[in-house]
Amino acid sequence: MTDHGLILDPPVIAILRAPTAARFAEVAAVLHESGITAVEFTLNSPGALEALRDCAGSVHPVGAGTVLTAVDAARAVDAGAAYLITPTVCREVITEGLRMGVPVICGAFTPTEIHSAWQAGATMVKIFPASVGGPGYLKAIRGPLNEIPLVPTGGIGLADARAYLDAGAKALGMGSPLVGDACIGGDLDALRERVSAVRKALL
């Protein structure tokens, strides 16, 4: 599945957030090798820009998350981010992304915010925090706003991942339930096992 250059097959964006981004490049490589093609490096993880540079030219480019300003957006793209992800409706990030030709997944929650982000030019809209409303909320939103590709994110575990796709999600943003402690020295084989479990759950 692709959307404006984003490779979403399987339809999962792995979110890397940690006290340091020192292991982000290594974890991203394992995710890619295991079949997760979309990975987000959160900018509020110290060293994220350097980690993005380490991944420049990789087979599956990575994106930058927690992008809150146009300056953040420009710095992330300069460091190698192939797409930008925000936690809120950040119009200046959408505008800067459009200017640079980079996809932007814009965070929102209410129907008004979702529609505003889409009207502003977001490539997709991230429903955050998704666990507050669950798959039922996503399905209700899809009723009147079915043309907007939605990416529920936040608190999505293995057990409910399939339900979000069945409710109409374009993709899922998954952090700790998928990544676990891999970014802070955790077992990378365990990460591979979690990826395998997620992929099987989404078949």
Side-chain angles (χ1 to χ4, degrees):
M1 180 189 305
T2 63
D3 202 302
H4 295 266
L6 278 172
I7 301 172
L8 298 172
D9 184 17
V12 173
I13 301 171
I15 302 165
L16 307 192
R17 188 186 307 279
T20 171
R23 212 182 187 198
F24 279 15
E26 183 180 5
V27 171
V30 171
L31 287 164
H32 290 159
E33 291 165 6
S34 302
I36 300 294
T37 56
V39 181
E40 167 190 346
F41 289 8
T42 53
L43 293 190
N44 61 345
S45 299
L49 291 177
E50 290 77 6
L52 281 167
R53 291 190 181 93
D54 288 343
C55 291
S58 63
V59 176
H60 297 295
V62 299
T66 317
V67 183
L68 293 168
T69 68
V71 172
D72 285 343
R75 287 175 176 168
V77 172
D78 181 65
Y83 45 93
L84 306 169
I85 303 175
T86 75
T88 62
V89 181
C90 299
R91 290 179 177 273
E92 64 180 278
V93 175
I94 297 174
T95 299
E96 186 69 3
L98 289 171
R99 186 187 69 80
M100 296 184 293
V102 176
V104 177
I105 302 175
C106 183
F109 188 75
T110 68
T112 298
E113 292 172 345
I114 293 164
H115 188 253
S116 295
W118 183 246
Q119 290 290 96
T123 307
M124 293 186 278
V125 180
K126 179 175 83 171
I127 308 303
F128 176 79
S131 60
V132 171
Y137 180 73
L138 179 72
K139 185 175 181 180
I141 293 295
R142 288 275 300 162
L145 302 177
N146 63 301
E147 80 282 7
I148 302 176
L150 302 177
V151 184
T153 303
I156 298 176
L158 179 61
D160 51 3
R162 181 72 249 178
Y164 280 98
L165 291 184
D166 291 343
K170 177 80 169 181
L172 310 175
M174 298 185 72
S176 55
L178 171 62
V179 179
D181 61 355
C183 293
I184 55 172
D187 185 355
L188 295 180
D189 285 333
L191 174 61
R192 292 183 178 94
E193 291 174 4
R194 288 191 295 273
V195 171
S196 177
V198 167
R199 296 188 68 185
K200 289 177 181 177
L202 298 181
L203 289 177

